[in-house]
Amino acid sequence: MRKNDIVTVTIEDFGINGEGIGKTKGYTLFVKDTVIGDVAEVKVMKAKKNYGYGKLLKILKPSKDRVTPDCPVARQCGGCQIQMVSYDKQLEYKNRKVWNNLKHIGGIPEELLARVMEQPCGMKEPYRYRNKAQFPIGRDRNGKLAAGFYVGHTHQIIPCDDCLLGVKVNRKILDIILAFMERYQIEPYNEEQHRGLVRHILIRYGFATDEIMVCLVLNGRRLPHAEVLTGKLAGIPKMTSISVSINTEKTNVIMGKEIVTLWGQGYITDYIEDIKYQISPLSFYQVNPVQTGDLYRTALEYADLHGEETVWDVYCGIGTISLFLAQKAGRVYGVEIIPQTIEDAKRNAGINGILNAEFFTGKAEEVLPEYYKEYTPRHPGRKAEADVIVVDPPRKGCAESVLETMVRMRPRRIVYVSCDSATLARDLKYLRENGYELDRGKVVDMFPHTVHVETVCLLTKKAQ
Ligand code: SAH
């Protein structure tokens, strides 16, 4: 196979980024924008010894799982890698990906998976689920002011003010802001020249309260005629917070650290089930509130608490899972690396009147072993042991020292919430080799139309 060859490929699998994988004469090709079952004409763009990357030229025979994406710019945007696959099939594909990883990386026998894995939990309405949107502001190829997304690796914006994963009010807000910028000739930010003022618009929407937050990210400290803009935006029902974020750095990090509230409060309020959260522009908050409820309910059910237990929530973020657990546990300890996030966790515990949750700032791989060392030998009366440990690590999974300490703390149950099934599988292998068995598991689709998926697993201590 050589570069620029044109070949016919039948797509047989999905890669980790949602690209199609096909074979032609025993040679593997990765082809973006194709779906399992497609027969496609493909141009080879890069050829390595055993595999290569191809560009889709033409679909010769479409897969029966193919649908026309509802979003007209789905292909260019790249945010939804698999919107052209019917939602049922998306769910099937994600579930299979998790199973395959658990089986091949985790060494978990198929019979066990068949027994313990529950039906995957998908969304009834897999659109408009995101409570947070960040739109870059710039100019389209005709030089017109626009909100949308960057084309590939360029600085040009493809206009799209109605992302179908976001809420409808986003468009109205963007229209107001763009009209205001036109009227007062306020320049959008230009990354190449590091000039211009308005970089991004962040919009957050509380699904339970309808409260809206708008934050303009500026390459500067001041927004001229700000009162005119806030006057207009304040007319939108339930507008609650309007602010600017100052980001004058040459960086692709979206938000600046300094936030100035222009109108209303500095935060919006939202609920997941009965727990209330105050969310500021910089707070971490799950983006899909519908599925988050399901994920946390599942985690809580797996934890099987009766009111007396000592529970650890490791990688706790703003304490979302910790506060859920605290309602049913004796005591909950949360561990999280980012200090501001721990501030949010403590404040969230406070506004909900939750007194039995305590939070530690630091690396899980340091906090947990130190706590264990300190409390076990020196204070024999005090138990470092835990009844239940919940972990929700970032994609790289748990550090081995965390897994090791967890095993020493001898919890009856470990609930593992994961956003990367490959590292989940690796960690389950360790836990299964060290006295725990996989008892239940469920795939929860928090991010329809993308390749990402969450998995929650219950491990119980084997009888000795
Ligand atoms: N359970 C939370 C957030 C999970 S996201 C929720 O559902 O909202 C994973 C969290 O782990 C992030 O908040 C991240 O800041 C934190 N984190 C990353 N590395 C860490 C480490 N080494 N030790 C502790 N926390 C870490």
Side-chain angles (χ1 to χ4, degrees):
M1 198 64 59
R2 272 189 311 222
K3 193 174 168 187
N4 294 333
D5 279 359
I6 293 183
V7 291
T8 300
V9 184
T10 302
I11 303 299
E12 292 166 4
D13 203 355
F14 276 121
I16 49 170
N17 296 313
E19 69 280 25
I21 304 177
K23 279 213 163 89
T24 171
K25 297 183 201 120
Y27 185 82
T28 303
L29 273 175
F30 292 83
V31 192
K32 214 171 145 270
D33 303 315
T34 57
V35 171
I36 298 176
D38 280 343
V39 180
E41 189 176 87
V42 171
K43 182 173 174 182
V44 179
M45 306 303 285
K46 204 169 172 184
K48 301 218 172 182
K49 192 158 164 257
N50 300 317
Y51 65 94
Y53 297 90
K55 185 176 160 193
L56 170 66
L57 295 180
K58 198 158 58 177
I59 302 278
L60 301 172
K61 188 170 156 277
S63 159
K64 59 181 183 350
D65 303 337
R66 231 177 213 287
V67 292
T68 307
D70 285 350
C71 172
V73 287
R75 189 167 163 188
Q76 292 111 301
C77 166
C80 291
Q81 304 96 341
I82 52 175
Q83 207 186 109
M84 69 295 197
V85 181
S86 70
Y87 185 60
D88 286 355
K89 290 288 170 185
Q90 288 183 19
L91 203 57
E92 212 179 285
Y93 149 67
K94 292 187 190 189
N95 200 43
R96 196 178 50 198
K97 177 168 130 182
V98 173
W99 274 55
N100 281 343
N101 281 338
L102 293 178
K103 194 169 135 190
H104 297 129
I105 303 173
I108 301 174
E110 181 97 34
E111 310 80 68
L112 178 59
L113 290 174
R115 201 168 63 236
V116 302
M117 293 298 287
E118 301 175 36
Q119 281 300 314
C121 169
M123 292 193 81
K124 282 195 196 76
E125 295 286 341
Y127 284 100
R128 303 222 178 268
Y129 59 79
R130 284 187 63 99
N131 57 16
K132 172 179 162 183
Q134 283 165 322
F135 292 91
I137 303 294
R139 295 202 177 269
D140 68 8
R141 67 150 143 30
N142 304 315
K144 195 170 175 302
L145 198 58
F149 52 85
Y150 289 114
V151 193
H153 299 286
T154 73
H155 298 282
Q156 201 184 79
I157 297 263
I158 290 200
C160 173
D161 57 3
D162 187 27
C163 169
L164 296 180
L165 303 192
V167 291
K168 280 195 175 148
V169 75
N170 289 345
R171 179 180 219 164
K172 192 164 168 188
I173 293 167
L174 292 173
D175 282 352
I176 292 176
I177 295 174
L178 293 179
F180 163 80
M181 288 176 66
E182 293 274 14
R183 164 82 178 76
Y184 291 99
Q185 298 188 345
I186 295 170
E187 276 302 303
Y189 180 63
N190 178 312
E191 232 176 3
E192 263 162 332
Q193 300 168 348
H194 191 50
R195 275 167 54 185
L197 186 64
V198 183
R199 300 174 74 128
H200 274 85
I201 308 296
L202 163 78
I203 305 171
R204 290 185 124 159
Y205 181 86
F207 271 57
T209 57
D210 295 324
E211 289 185 6
I212 303 169
M213 162 185 292
V214 177
C215 179
L216 293 92
V217 185
L218 302 183
N219 172 39
R221 299 197 61 84
R222 206 180 73 84
L223 179 69
H225 310 285
E227 66 297 341
V228 179
L229 180 66
T230 53
K232 289 238 157 60
L233 290 173
I236 295 175
K238 289 280 190 173
M239 183 59 64
T240 305
S241 167
I242 306 173
S243 60
V244 294
S245 153
I246 296 154
N247 183 0
T248 53
E249 305 282 313
K250 254 189 163 165
T251 167
N252 53 12
V253 173
I254 296 178
M255 300 295 291
K257 292 199 176 70
E258 191 184 342
I259 306 285
V260 180
T261 304
L262 298 178
W263 183 91
Q265 333 174 136
Y267 59 88
I268 57 169
T269 304
D270 196 27
Y271 290 82
I272 300 176
E273 309 278 302
D274 294 334
I275 308 267
K276 185 173 171 182
Y277 299 93
Q278 284 177 0
I279 309 147
S280 56
L282 296 175
S283 304
F284 172 85
Y285 190 58
Q286 295 281 0
V287 295
N288 182 335
V290 180
Q291 296 299 87
T292 300
D294 200 283
L295 184 71
Y296 291 174
R297 263 195 313 276
T298 306
L300 188 64
E301 186 189 323
Y302 286 4
D304 189 23
L305 301 173
H306 298 279
E308 292 302 318
E309 295 86 349
T310 298
V311 183
W312 280 78
D313 178 14
V314 185
Y315 309 92
C316 70
I318 57 165
T320 10
I321 298 179
S322 323
L323 300 183
F324 245 65
L325 299 166
Q327 297 169 301
K328 297 270 168 72
R331 186 135 207 96
V332 177
Y333 299 102
V335 185
E336 159 64 42
I337 197 165
I338 302 176
Q340 297 94 305
T341 306
I342 285 288
E343 295 300 313
D344 279 345
K346 288 180 178 163
R347 196 185 59 225
N348 287 329
I351 60 178
N352 287 286
I354 291 174
L355 301 172
N356 57 341
E358 199 176 319
F359 295 97
F360 299 95
T361 314
K363 289 186 184 159
E365 52 275 35
E366 289 169 6
V367 173
L368 211 59
E370 270 162 32
Y371 182 90
Y372 182 75
K373 225 174 34 216
E374 190 171 328
Y375 283 96
T376 318
R378 277 198 248 143
H379 305 277
R382 281 164 86 161
K383 283 208 309 186
E385 292 184 359
D387 298 301
V388 178
I389 299 181
V390 178
V391 288
D392 183 4
R395 283 192 196 157
K396 66 175 194 251
C398 294
E400 192 159 325
S401 63
V402 171
L403 294 172
E404 215 179 275
T405 315
M406 274 161 59
V407 168
R408 289 219 204 116
M409 289 168 84
R410 301 167 54 84
R412 283 198 295 281
R413 283 182 291 284
I414 295 172
V415 180
Y416 196 130
V417 181
S418 160
C419 56
D420 184 324
S421 57
T423 56
L424 166 72
R426 178 200 67 200
D427 293 349
L428 292 197
K429 185 166 199 280
Y430 180 97
L431 293 171
R432 289 184 73 236
E433 285 165 359
N434 287 279
Y436 286 83
E437 186 52 294
L438 179 64
D439 235 352
R440 291 178 77 177
K442 185 168 160 187
V443 165
V444 180
D445 190 15
M446 303 272 274
F447 314 104
H449 308 295
T450 78
V451 290
H452 303 292
V453 72
E454 296 273 320
T455 310
V456 48
C457 286
L458 167 66
L459 292 116
T460 45
K461 193 155 175 45
K462 285 189 262 194
Q464 272 156 355

